[in-house]
Amino acid sequence: MEKYGYKFSFGPWNIHEGADPFGPPVRPSVPFAEKLAILKDLGFDAMQFHDDDAVPELDNLSAAQIRQQAGAMKALLDDHGLTAEFVAPRLWEHPMTIDGAFTANDPAARAYAIDRARKAVDIARVLGTDLMVLWLAREGTYLREAKDAVRATQQLLEAVNALLDYDPDLRIVIEPKPNEPMDLAYIPTIGHALALGMQSNDPSRVGGLIESAHAVLAGLDPADEMSFALALGKLWSVHLNDQNGLKYDQDRSFGSVNLRRAFNQVRVLDENRYWEIGLVGLDVKALRTQPPELAAKHLRNSLQMFLRLVEVVRSLDRQRIDELRVARDYEELDWLVVQALMG
Ligand code: 3MF
Ligand code: MG
């Protein structure tokens, strides 16, 4: 398979049981080893990890036990010729994070969050990646008056600094999302994420991860969000997927809802040689209706869609596009793009 120099990843949560807020699981859990085999078979190169995807129940383990279990995971990855793209602390399920993690009103909860994130750094080190993703799931409010938003922003900065100080080799990527599970999140866009990073103790080690659906939920175009981060040299990871309008986070297969929006994401990535910068991460979920044996096609479709769109992008007549820009004939440019997408 020609991959044009790109490397691809997904997370174990992208092969899931199909539960939603209104219904139970509809598919059995797939054992981790089987997920690795699917990853490999479909042509992916790396796995994304939450801390407890790599080391289950880590809250109940000593530092030595965590290191040992992370070591076993690293050996498993090595056996398959795979790597870990990043580790993300799961700061949204534990009872201590009900009111937020780094921005909880209770100082004990905030201390738990920092401690848990430090454990995730330890795991990343053993897995051989310097990248930590912070998806700030519960850092926001249901009720504006419940928190001091100024103080909360400072607390997020303090948390980023604490992690940068903890490991001098760590790079942090903040994954913005405007809502869900919170009504409103403190870091809704890449602008917010990068502004925070620029204020940190070491701005050179803080970047961003853009998820297509999260940008759409913020009413923004994912390709423009990516472009902003690329312009600042800060797009270090992506979560490609798709999203039909402003509703719950759908994690649909990449390009399955809005082909042109997907094309433009691939276009800005490819025009900026993203294959030299980061991995093409997916964050997609199979439709709840898929039977167990058919519940990995969303991963195949998304990776293949990316590669097909690279071909489309590279087949465009650049000189013609430049001429149309000069002539300000954007209707003709529109037609050129639509023709390319229709094949
Ligand atoms: C939620 C997400 C998250 C993050 C993941 C890794 C569960 O909308 O996108 O997926 O991507 O936590 O950072
Ligand atoms: Mg994501």
Side-chain angles (χ1 to χ4, degrees):
M1 188 196 318
E2 171 60 77
K3 285 161 65 182
Y4 305 102
Y6 285 101
K7 290 202 162 119
F8 296 85
S9 70
F10 66 77
W13 61 92
N14 293 132
I15 299 176
H16 77 130
E17 298 79 12
D20 69 18
F22 299 97
V26 291
R27 297 182 285 262
S29 304
V30 175
F32 185 81
E34 219 169 291
K35 294 182 181 180
L36 270 190
I38 293 171
L39 188 101
K40 189 85 185 159
D41 282 355
L42 292 176
F44 287 80
D45 307 278
M47 186 63 104
Q48 307 167 15
F49 286 94
H50 292 127
D51 47 9
D52 58 0
D53 293 325
V55 181
E57 312 278 341
L58 76 164
D59 284 311
N60 307 324
L61 301 178
S62 69
Q65 287 170 319
I66 289 174
R67 268 199 307 279
Q68 187 241 325
Q69 289 202 25
M73 177 58 80
K74 170 77 164 95
L76 191 60
L77 290 174
D78 287 347
D79 284 348
H80 287 76
L82 297 167
T83 57
E85 185 195 0
F86 64 71
V87 177
R90 197 194 295 274
L91 293 170
W92 53 92
E93 287 186 358
H94 193 275
M96 286 302 275
T97 61
I98 289 173
D99 184 43
F102 302 133
T103 63
N105 282 334
D106 177 359
R110 296 200 300 273
Y112 164 82
I114 301 264
D115 185 58
R116 170 86 182 227
R118 285 193 182 120
K119 287 178 177 162
V121 176
D122 295 340
I123 293 169
R125 217 183 270 142
V126 177
L127 293 186
T129 176
D130 63 354
L131 208 59
M132 159 164 286
V133 170
L134 290 181
W135 171 49
L136 301 166
R138 297 203 183 273
E139 320 296 4
T141 52
Y142 307 112
L143 193 76
R144 286 309 75 69
E145 300 84 359
K147 299 265 170 76
D148 175 342
V150 171
R151 184 69 199 116
T153 305
Q154 292 163 345
Q155 285 163 340
L156 290 174
L157 188 56
E158 286 159 19
V160 166
N161 284 336
L163 297 172
L164 291 172
D165 289 349
Y166 182 64
D167 180 348
D169 296 323
L170 184 72
R171 290 186 302 142
I172 294 177
V173 286
I174 300 176
E175 179 180 351
K177 183 178 182 183
N179 61 284
E180 198 192 41
M182 307 313 294
D183 174 40
L184 289 172
Y186 289 130
I187 306 294
T189 70
I190 196 64
H192 292 78
L194 297 186
L196 199 75
M198 299 291 187
Q199 293 294 313
S200 72
N201 289 344
D202 189 352
S204 73
R205 291 193 285 135
V206 187
L209 178 159
I210 300 204
E211 173 161 331
S212 326
H214 296 179
V216 173
L217 286 169
L220 299 169
D221 182 83
D224 279 356
E225 287 281 272
M226 288 174 188
S227 300
F228 180 82
L230 284 163
L232 302 182
K234 290 294 189 188
L235 187 66
W236 297 349
S237 189
V238 292
H239 271 174
L240 300 184
N241 59 17
D242 215 345
Q243 169 74 25
N244 188 18
L246 300 180
K247 49 187 86 161
Y248 66 96
D249 184 7
Q250 298 183 314
D251 295 334
R252 295 284 306 276
S253 294
F254 182 55
S256 65
V257 176
N258 187 326
L259 187 58
R260 186 151 182 186
R261 193 164 63 196
F263 156 79
N264 275 306
Q265 291 169 69
V266 176
R267 186 178 57 78
V268 301
L269 292 172
D270 205 54
E271 286 174 357
N272 290 281
R273 306 176 71 87
Y274 179 76
W275 67 89
E276 293 173 352
I277 304 173
L279 272 72
V280 177
L282 304 179
D283 198 354
V284 291
K285 295 213 171 70
L287 298 172
R288 191 168 192 263
T289 45
Q290 287 298 101
E293 66 281 11
L294 307 177
K297 294 191 174 182
H298 59 306
L299 295 161
R300 176 203 66 187
N301 293 358
S302 298
L303 185 150
Q304 293 298 325
M305 174 64 79
F306 184 91
L307 293 173
R308 291 288 301 277
L309 287 173
V310 170
E311 286 166 16
V312 173
V313 166
R314 294 189 181 184
S315 74
L316 295 174
D317 183 343
R318 297 282 154 175
Q319 200 185 331
R320 182 78 186 125
I321 292 173
D322 287 343
E323 286 163 12
L324 293 172
R325 284 180 176 179
V326 170
R328 233 169 62 199
D329 191 352
Y330 299 154
E331 294 290 0
E332 193 63 37
L333 178 56
D334 189 28
W335 189 238
L336 181 147
V337 171
V338 169
Q339 296 268 61
L341 286 174
M342 291 198 304

